[in-house]
């Protein structure tokens, strides 16, 4: 038999299912692979043939005993595939490519999903790019700050119903829409389309809602609304802003679990899907940006500056309305409202500083 052993067992904290991570030699080098728990059965062991592990089928009982022994000694870790805020051991944590928490947890947790959340390059290189290419460009700076706000929006939605916020980048082709959207995605994951938090809009409504629920709290990019085959985009994006999926029944007439999510969502499109006749409910959480986003437009004309000033004033008015609703729900004074938000921002800052130290 070629080299193979159980390296560790990963218990999904959501489904409670166990995956087995094998370390093996594929004939060229040492590699690892995660398989279902059934792979440890006599019938499941043959799955290892596909990865280059070789043994005689007549020795399958001995191979099974050997792997079961390595399984007993293997490390046990806890995995998650759904991202965002959660409570573990009564501690508020943020699920990311690693678990961000203020206190040391008693168990080891790892991200076990399919998204590429690991960053390439260095933070200094990214900051230099922002300084040279983004600072001074009002639209891109504005959207970058909006992308950073997604975890805070999700944290507020953890106890209050705020839903999601939608930014639609509208303009004709080759104006920098996708580039700006990928810039916003680069904060949290690989900016490559369909690798991280940025995906094509070419999918069903259920698939897109499932994607949103899996990365709750991170900014999301849906690129090219024109690629979608959904007939009523306004209704679908309105449901995205509500932050929950439809009520559906199982085959036995019981209710399915409702998917919930709260993120800052960016879409790119050559046309706007919202008009003056659109539903009033989508307008407070929808921002349409039509200004050209390329670097050559860094120096804006006076008319465009006035347009941005008008838009910012409108958004400040919307924020005041939201703050008023928060104060009424929580019965807070103006001073206590500031303390309420500052405490939550401080949690994010502490979590971020601890992540930097580690």
């Amino acid at each position: 038999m070629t080299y193979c052993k159980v390296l560790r067992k990963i218990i999904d904290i959501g489904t409670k299912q166990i995956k087995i991570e094998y370390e093996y030699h594929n004939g060229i080098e040492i590699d690892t692979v995660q398989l279902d728990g059934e792979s440890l059965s006599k019938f499941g062991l043959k799955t290892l043939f596909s990865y280059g592990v070789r043994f005689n089928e007549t020795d399958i009982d001995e191979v099974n005993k050997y792997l079961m022994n390595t399984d007993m000694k293997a490390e046990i870790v806890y995995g998650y595939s759904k991202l965002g805020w959660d409570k573990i051991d009564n501690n508020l944590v943020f699920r990311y490519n690693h678990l961000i928490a203020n206190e040391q947890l008693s168990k080891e947790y790892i991200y076990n999903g399919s998204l590429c959340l690991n960053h390439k390059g260095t933070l200094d290189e990214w900051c230099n790019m922002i300084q040279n290419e983004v600072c001074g460009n009002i639209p891109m700076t504005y959207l970058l700050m909006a992308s950073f706000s997604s975890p805070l929006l999700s944290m507020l939605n953890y106890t209050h119903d705020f839903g999601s916020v939608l930014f639609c980048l509208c303009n004709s082709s080759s104006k920098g829409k996708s580039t700006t959207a990928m810039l916003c995605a680069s904060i949290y994951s690989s900016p490559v389309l369909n690798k991280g938090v940025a995906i094509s809009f070419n999918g069903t409504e259920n698939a897109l809602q499932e994607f949103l629920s899996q990365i709750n709290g991170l900014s999301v990019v849906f690129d090219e609304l024109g690629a979608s085959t959904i007939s009523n985009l306004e209704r679908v994006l309105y449901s995205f802003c509500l932050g929950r999926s439809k009520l559906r029944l199982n085959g036995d007439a019981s209710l399915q679990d409702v998917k919930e999510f709260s993120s800052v969502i960016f879409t790119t499109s050559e046309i706007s899907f919202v008009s003056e006749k659109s539903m009033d409910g989508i307008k407070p959480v929808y921002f349409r940006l039509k200004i050209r986003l390329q670097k050559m437009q860094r120096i804006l004309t006076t008319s465009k500056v006035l347009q941005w000033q008008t838009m910012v004033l409108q958004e400040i008015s919307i924020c005041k309305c939201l703050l008023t609703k928060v104060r009424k729900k929580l019965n807070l004074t103006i001073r206590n409202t500031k303390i309420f938000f500052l405490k939550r921002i401080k949690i994010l800052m502490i979590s971020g500083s601890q992540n930097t130290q580690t």
Side-chain angles (χ1 to χ4, degrees):
M1 174 185 174
T2 55
Y3 171 74
C4 181
K5 73 171 185 177
V6 176
L7 188 62
R8 60 181 176 177
K9 294 176 285 188
I10 304 171
I11 304 175
D12 191 288
I13 61 177
T15 63
K16 306 301 181 183
Q17 294 182 348
I18 298 178
K19 283 192 173 184
I20 309 296
E21 184 171 347
Y22 293 91
E23 183 179 75
Y24 65 97
H25 193 278
N26 60 16
I28 302 174
E29 59 185 359
I30 300 293
D31 203 352
T32 60
V33 64
Q34 292 182 14
L35 300 175
D36 294 334
E38 294 179 356
S39 61
L40 270 179
S41 67
K42 289 184 180 180
F43 299 101
L45 285 177
K46 294 182 180 180
T47 308
L48 295 172
F49 286 152
S50 302
Y51 297 92
V53 178
R54 297 291 180 262
F55 56 86
N56 293 325
E57 291 190 38
T58 55
D59 298 331
I60 196 167
D61 289 335
E62 295 299 322
V63 173
N64 183 247
K65 282 183 182 180
Y66 163 72
L67 290 178
M68 289 294 289
N69 286 333
T70 61
D71 176 73
M72 296 294 292
K73 301 175 184 178
E75 177 189 13
I76 298 177
V77 297
Y78 293 82
Y80 55 88
S81 57
K82 186 175 181 179
L83 305 173
W85 295 102
D86 193 12
K87 277 193 174 180
I88 297 178
D89 298 336
N90 293 323
N91 292 321
L92 183 64
V93 300
F94 191 79
R95 298 181 185 181
Y96 188 44
N97 58 353
H98 61 281
L99 206 66
I100 303 175
N102 285 332
E103 299 180 6
Q104 185 70 30
L105 299 176
S106 58
K107 302 173 183 176
E108 182 182 354
Y109 294 86
I110 63 169
Y111 174 64
N112 199 36
S114 59
L115 298 180
C116 180
L117 300 178
N118 296 322
H119 297 86
K120 293 185 178 180
T122 66
L123 179 61
D124 289 337
E125 291 173 339
W126 189 85
C127 289
N128 290 333
M129 182 272 295
I130 296 298
Q131 181 68 35
N132 297 328
E133 305 293 336
V134 178
C135 292
N137 186 314
I138 298 176
M140 294 184 74
T141 303
Y142 174 78
L143 291 170
L144 189 66
M145 291 189 295
S147 185
F148 272 112
S149 70
S150 192
L152 182 58
L153 173 66
S154 179
M155 180 168 55
L156 292 174
N157 202 70
Y158 193 78
T159 52
H160 303 86
D161 186 14
F162 288 113
S164 298
V165 177
L166 175 66
F167 289 86
C168 184
L169 312 184
C170 304
N171 213 326
S172 55
S173 180
S174 301
K175 300 296 183 182
K177 302 185 299 297
S178 295
T179 300
T180 303
M182 297 309 156
L183 170 69
C184 297
S186 70
I187 298 174
Y188 303 102
S189 76
S190 168
V192 179
L193 194 65
N194 298 321
K195 295 292 185 181
V197 300
I199 64 172
S200 169
F201 208 87
N202 186 17
T204 64
E205 179 181 353
N206 290 344
L208 296 176
Q209 286 183 342
E210 177 64 26
F211 182 78
L212 282 171
S213 67
Q214 291 297 314
I215 56 174
N216 185 26
L218 304 185
S219 291
V220 182
V221 173
F222 292 136
D223 193 37
E224 289 299 341
L225 292 183
S228 174
T229 56
I230 300 174
S231 57
N232 193 339
L233 280 174
E234 182 180 333
R235 178 187 59 80
V236 171
L237 293 178
Y238 181 66
S239 69
F240 290 172
C241 293
L242 288 178
R244 60 180 60 88
S245 62
K246 293 179 181 179
L247 288 173
R248 291 184 174 87
L249 293 178
N250 293 311
D252 59 356
S254 61
L255 282 174
Q256 293 183 7
D257 292 335
V258 176
K259 299 179 178 66
E260 296 185 349
F261 39 85
S262 177
S263 298
V264 175
I265 304 172
F266 300 91
T267 66
T268 65
S269 173
E270 294 189 10
I271 59 173
S272 174
F273 68 94
V274 174
S275 64
E276 295 298 327
K277 298 180 181 179
S278 299
M279 296 177 289
D280 290 335
I282 197 173
K283 293 178 181 177
V285 290
Y286 164 81
F287 301 92
R288 182 178 61 187
L289 307 181
K290 295 188 69 173
I291 295 178
R292 189 170 180 173
L293 299 169
Q294 289 177 323
K295 183 179 177 181
M296 66 181 67
Q297 292 292 326
R298 180 173 286 183
I299 302 176
L300 300 176
T301 63
T302 304
S303 61
K304 288 183 178 179
V305 172
L306 291 176
Q307 290 175 9
W308 274 93
Q309 288 175 344
T310 302
M311 188 186 73
V312 170
L313 289 175
Q314 290 174 348
E315 291 163 11
I316 289 174
S317 176
I318 293 171
C319 290
K320 286 182 178 179
C321 293
L322 289 174
L323 286 173
T324 302
K325 290 181 181 179
V326 171
R327 287 203 298 268
K328 287 182 179 179
K329 284 186 177 182
L330 301 180
N331 195 23
L332 297 174
T333 63
I334 294 178
R335 181 176 180 276
N336 288 338
T337 302
K338 294 179 181 178
I339 297 174
F340 174 80
F341 282 103
L342 287 173
K343 283 182 177 179
R344 280 148 180 78
I345 294 172
K346 186 177 180 182
I347 291 174
L348 288 176
M349 294 174 66
I350 292 174
S351 299
S353 63
Q354 288 185 345
N355 180 28
T356 304
Q357 291 174 2
T358 56

